[in-house]
Amino acid sequence: MSDTGLRTDLHVNDGNGGFAILSDGAFPGIQGGDLAWGDYDNDRDLDLVIAGNDGSQPILRLYENTVGRAGSTTTFELEPTDSTIVLHLDFSAVSFADIDSDGDLDLAIAGRDQSFIPRSVISDNLTDLQQNRNLAPETPLPQEASDEDSDITLSWLGATDDGDDTPLSLSYNLRVGTSAEGNEVLSGNIAHGPGNAGQNLQHRLQDLASGTYFWSVQTIDDGFERSEWSSPQDFIIDTVSPIVAPASLNLSRTQLGIGQTVTLALGFFDEHSGVDPDTAVTVQIVIGDETFDFEKLQFTGTSWSGQFTVGAEMPSGTAALRVMGAVDAKGNAMAVFDTVDVLSLDTTLPTVTGATPAMAAS
């Protein structure tokens, strides 16, 4: 309701963040009514139905979208409707849906007629009889799943409809779950109408828990016909750092002297993406303020083995182990792992404190 009475305006997105009223949109103002969009004539553009009370009586107006049509002088042309077949109701709700699955959008309306009697009516669209059945669009092809920390951007290639490249007539529906056809994260079980991703060819999800996920995408045309779902694709979100596997340290000996060698085997655990075997791991003996590196024998990502030989220059005492540098496939670095004292080193040479008979000074 405006200062001049009832009005219905269509605001067109100007592509720069603003809207302008469609200059040739001569739509009736209504109250107690509804409107709906749908391609009722299967020509790959959205048509408009308006139902309600124009201030004096119930009305229903059907407008055909004629954008791009040769000889057309307006954006929408009013289509004649027989009020004895397509009822004019106010206090109404209206929707397009292919009720009988014959490839065209039928019209459903509920409200009250001029006698104030509640009515619900479905009007069958006969477009299919003109050999113009709406066919399902092409299934889109998944392109990439690009993760950043706990976020993921999913992208796919644009599809075609009935063999024609008509991107403005298509929307896309996305599902993401923890199982191959699941909807636990983003449901693809949406109401009749356009897809949940709109006309976009990508969608970003944020703050996902670490784990393995699956996604599929489908195309929906402006007759709301849906393609098959694309084959499920998987991706991994991993924000958890790898760790030294519990109880995996295995030392060949715990007491060492000069020239003696100890071997060490240990394991790594990363729940989601696995430890990168190409990133070097550092394993050290820590005694006092000094550290000494193990020599690596092998590293597979899940297991590491190395050896260390005690030199005469090393101090004696109890020693701990330090492990650092492991990184998983998503770049998460492990925290430095320190053990309590697990080795005993003795590098002090024995000395003669007395002898009988006395030894020569030399």
Side-chain angles (χ1 to χ4, degrees):
M1 176 73 75
S2 69
D3 292 340
T4 58
L6 300 174
R7 59 184 294 172
T8 300
D9 293 327
L10 176 59
H11 294 258
V12 180
N13 192 324
D14 63 10
N16 296 310
F19 293 88
I21 295 177
L22 182 67
S23 59
D24 61 357
F27 305 117
I30 59 168
Q31 60 187 355
D34 194 14
L35 60 80
W37 295 93
D39 182 15
Y40 82 89
D41 53 357
N42 290 343
D43 63 351
R44 300 188 183 92
D45 53 29
L46 289 176
D47 309 305
L48 176 65
V49 61
I50 298 175
N53 191 298
D54 66 359
S56 61
Q57 62 182 347
I59 65 168
L60 183 144
R61 299 289 185 266
L62 181 62
Y63 293 90
E64 183 184 1
N65 188 329
T66 58
V67 172
R69 180 179 299 176
S72 175
T73 59
T74 61
T75 306
F76 291 90
E77 291 185 1
L78 179 63
E79 288 290 295
T81 57
D82 186 341
S83 62
T84 64
I85 298 175
V86 181
L87 295 188
H88 294 191
L89 307 177
D90 60 10
F91 291 94
S92 54
V94 64
S95 180
F96 283 115
D98 188 4
I99 302 297
D100 49 3
S101 299
D102 62 351
D104 54 31
L105 291 177
D106 308 308
L107 182 63
I109 183 170
R112 70 175 189 181
D113 62 18
Q114 287 183 308
S115 301
F116 305 106
I117 298 174
R119 305 288 297 273
S120 294
V121 180
I122 295 175
S123 299
D124 186 18
N125 187 338
L126 302 180
T127 297
D128 67 302
L129 299 181
Q130 303 172 18
Q131 306 301 313
N132 190 27
R133 178 185 176 91
N134 184 27
L135 302 177
E138 177 188 41
T139 300
L141 182 65
Q143 185 175 34
E144 184 180 15
S146 177
D147 64 288
E148 181 181 358
D149 298 326
S150 61
D151 301 343
I152 189 77
T153 299
L154 305 171
S155 60
W156 52 91
L157 299 177
T160 60
D161 189 18
D162 298 346
D164 292 330
D165 183 14
T166 54
L168 295 181
S169 72
L170 303 177
S171 64
Y172 297 92
N173 197 29
L174 179 67
R175 69 181 180 195
V176 182
T178 54
S179 57
E181 297 182 356
N183 294 275
E184 297 88 349
V185 177
L186 178 63
S187 179
N189 294 326
I190 62 170
H192 185 74
N196 58 19
Q199 294 179 330
N200 299 306
L201 297 179
Q202 66 176 26
H203 188 79
R204 185 174 179 85
L205 296 170
Q206 297 178 300
D207 299 324
L208 296 176
S210 292
T212 300
Y213 297 88
F214 300 86
W215 67 287
S216 300
V217 63
Q218 70 177 177
T219 311
I220 302 178
D221 66 19
D222 48 14
F224 307 137
E225 193 74 25
R226 302 186 182 196
S227 74
E228 296 293 329
W229 286 101
S230 63
S231 298
Q233 308 292 307
D234 65 87
F235 65 87
I236 294 174
I237 292 293
D238 185 2
T239 59
V240 180
S241 298
I243 61 172
V244 173
S248 68
L249 270 69
N250 186 6
L251 290 163
S252 62
R253 59 198 306 170
T254 58
Q255 294 184 333
L256 296 155
I258 295 174
Q260 293 183 316
T261 298
V262 60
T263 58
L264 168 66
L266 57 88
F268 292 94
F269 174 74
D270 187 79
E271 182 177 2
H272 303 293
S273 60
V275 177
D276 180 9
D278 296 323
T279 300
V281 171
T282 300
V283 182
Q284 298 175 324
I285 288 178
V286 181
I287 181 167
D289 295 331
E290 299 184 69
T291 58
F292 304 89
D293 290 349
F294 270 81
E295 175 191 357
K296 184 193 76 172
L297 296 177
Q298 64 87 33
F299 178 40
T300 66
T302 56
S303 64
W304 184 96
S305 65
Q307 62 183 14
F308 182 82
T309 301
V310 177
E313 76 283 359
M314 294 182 63
S316 295
T318 57
L321 295 178
R322 176 170 294 163
V323 184
M324 55 188 177
V327 175
D328 67 20
K330 294 296 185 180
N332 301 302
M334 70 171 290
V336 175
F337 175 82
D338 287 309
T339 70
V340 295
D341 294 335
V342 293
L343 291 170
S344 177
L345 276 58
D346 182 3
T347 58
T348 303
L349 296 173
T351 59
V352 178
T353 58
T356 302
M359 298 175 63
S362 60

